[in-house]
Amino acid sequence: MRKAIDARGIHALDHVDFGAPAKDDAALTAQALRFAAALGRGATDPTKLYEVYTVPRPAPDIKAGLAAALRAGDLTAWLEGLAPQDANYRKLSVAYRKLQRQPDAPAAAIVTTGEAIEPGGTDPRIPSIARELVILEYLDAGLAQGDRYTPDMVAAVRRMQADYAMKPDGIIGSEALAILNMSDVDRSRAIAVAMERLRWLERTPPATRIDVNLAAARLTYWRDGKIVDSRKVIVGEPDTETPQLGSPIFRLVANPTWTVPRSIQKKEIAGKGAGYLRANNMVWKDGWIVQQPGPKNSLGLVKFDMQNDHAIYLHDTPAKPIFAMVQRQRSHGCVRVEDALGFAEMLATDAGLLDQWHAARATGKETFVKLPRQIPVRMLYQTVLFDDAGEPIVRNDPYGWDDRVGAALGFKAGRALRVESGAVDVGP
């Protein structure tokens, strides 16, 4: 047991204090239960770290498991089996241990001394800067060439500067480098947080499900244990974050109406007058502003109705250009789906409801199509992704949500850079 706890860096838990070496069996048993619980469901409790967290979590019987492991005389196998067993968790573990073999306080990845880099100039730091721009999805990999600051890179830097509320002048100075520069300490912390978030998740999730990564603003559709679709989404902006929910889709809504929430009505519509309502096909109904079905409706032409207490759901949008943005934290909390009609066709086909769905759309009126089997949806938050070679890459933390997890795991505060996106329309 002591050997396992001493080797807890395998799980990026080396900053967590599980207590001094126990001096008797009772104390060692208590220590073993704490460590096993950390592996089995996380060293932290997301329901205490976040106001809303309803994603299904594992619930291993730690006491019974420890007793069985002692009877079998194989404590090591039991402990190893508690942590996630998937390939991504193992890759994160390897990456974390590799970083721990680096110096304790490594220099920044990109040297910050020297003059600012002007468009068209050359600088030995350009290849490292280009790599970070590619990781953050501001620059296509094929456009990262040599040590010259090319027009393509300038355009990428300007987009990044705009997302972080900087002057989009394309000059790479200290502010821009603060976003691009990530030390090994920063990467270690991000990977440790990512591993902890994986420990929060049930070990055998539903084989057919939809996962939405709020940090990356992407949706992944799993069918029978395999990924069959992945597409961009637009999620809540940093001040109206989409919560981490576990909530199923139970029906498709063709030609939806939208009842404007009081918060949006008061903040963004109040005082605009009858002309604005007519132009946006909105009417007053029972004291609420309701937007009628049609191409201007903020929910677009399809809504994926979900069961939760937070009025969060997936839907279409007429604001298609937002999908071309890198930072897609732009909504008031709901999740807008790229090519939502195509996605609805896919779900309807899989459910054997395609004809019924087409008939519902043809009505031009709000029409509900109930799914024979609900599709579980998990709203997750992962800032570490994997490149084409399967290697972990650390992305930005748009909500700043990694901070509280990292602190709970014993890490010092990380970089406090948050996206400054701002919702671009009144939609949910």
Side-chain angles (χ1 to χ4, degrees), residues 79-300:
L79 289 171
E80 290 178 351
L82 286 170
Q85 301 298 303
D86 60 280
N88 283 350
Y89 188 84
R90 290 193 291 272
K91 289 176 182 176
L92 290 171
S93 175
V94 170
Y96 183 81
R97 283 179 285 164
K98 183 178 179 180
L99 288 168
Q100 297 314 293
R101 291 194 288 269
Q102 305 299 324
D104 291 337
I110 304 170
V111 177
T112 56
T113 56
E115 296 182 359
I117 306 173
E118 301 275 351
T122 59
D123 193 285
R125 296 172 290 179
I126 288 294
S128 296
I129 291 171
R131 180 179 183 277
E132 290 301 318
L133 289 170
V134 169
I135 287 174
L136 296 176
E137 294 188 0
Y138 286 103
L139 182 69
D140 291 335
L143 300 177
Q145 300 173 354
D147 61 357
R148 191 172 77 85
Y149 190 19
T150 64
D152 290 318
M153 282 189 65
V154 174
V157 169
R158 284 176 174 159
R159 288 196 297 272
M160 181 189 74
Q161 288 171 323
D163 281 342
Y164 287 88
M166 300 177 188
K167 181 181 179 181
D169 55 13
I171 298 172
I172 304 176
S174 58
E175 282 188 313
L177 287 175
I179 299 170
L180 295 166
N181 227 352
M182 181 171 286
S183 71
D184 286 347
V185 171
D186 296 322
R187 296 180 200 281
S188 293
R189 174 179 171 274
I191 289 172
V193 169
M195 294 178 72
E196 175 72 354
R197 291 184 182 279
L198 290 180
R199 288 190 291 267
W200 290 346
L201 301 179
E202 55 189 344
R203 301 297 182 258
T204 308
T208 296
R209 67 184 186 276
I210 294 168
D211 287 341
V212 177
N213 185 343
L214 304 176
R218 285 202 75 89
L219 172 155
T220 303
Y221 176 34
W222 295 75
R223 186 197 305 135
D224 299 326
K226 296 181 179 178
I227 296 175
V228 294
D229 188 70
S230 179
R231 61 186 65 210
K232 296 177 182 178
V233 294
I234 297 162
V235 299
E237 63 173 327
D239 289 328
T240 56
E241 299 97 336
T242 304
Q244 298 168 90
L245 298 178
S247 175
I249 294 173
F250 69 97
R251 67 183 178 187
L252 306 178
V253 185
N255 315 304
T257 62
W258 178 43
T259 301
V260 181
R262 297 290 192 202
S263 57
I264 297 178
Q265 178 181 318
K266 181 178 179 181
K267 183 178 179 181
E268 304 188 33
I269 298 180
K272 290 193 174 182
Y276 176 88
L277 297 184
R278 283 194 301 272
N280 288 278
N281 202 18
M282 293 177 172
V283 297
W284 283 97
K285 185 176 181 180
D286 300 327
W288 293 83
I289 294 177
V290 178
Q291 190 175 38
Q292 301 302 299
K296 288 186 177 181
N297 189 285
S298 292
L299 303 186

Side-chain angles (χ1 to χ4, degrees), residues 214 235-238 240-242 329 381 397-401 404 418:
L214 304 176
V235 299
E237 63 173 327
T240 56
E241 299 97 336
T242 304
Q329 290 75 25
Y381 192 84
D397 178 11
Y399 290 169
W401 277 359
R404 62 193 75 177
R418 295 207 328 170

Side-chain angles (χ1 to χ4, degrees), residues 1-2 5 18-36 66:
M1 190 68 230
R2 295 188 183 100
I5 292 177
F18 291 99
K23 297 181 179 180
D24 55 50
D25 287 351
L28 185 58
T29 298
Q31 195 174 48
L33 293 173
R34 287 195 300 273
F35 181 59
L66 176 58

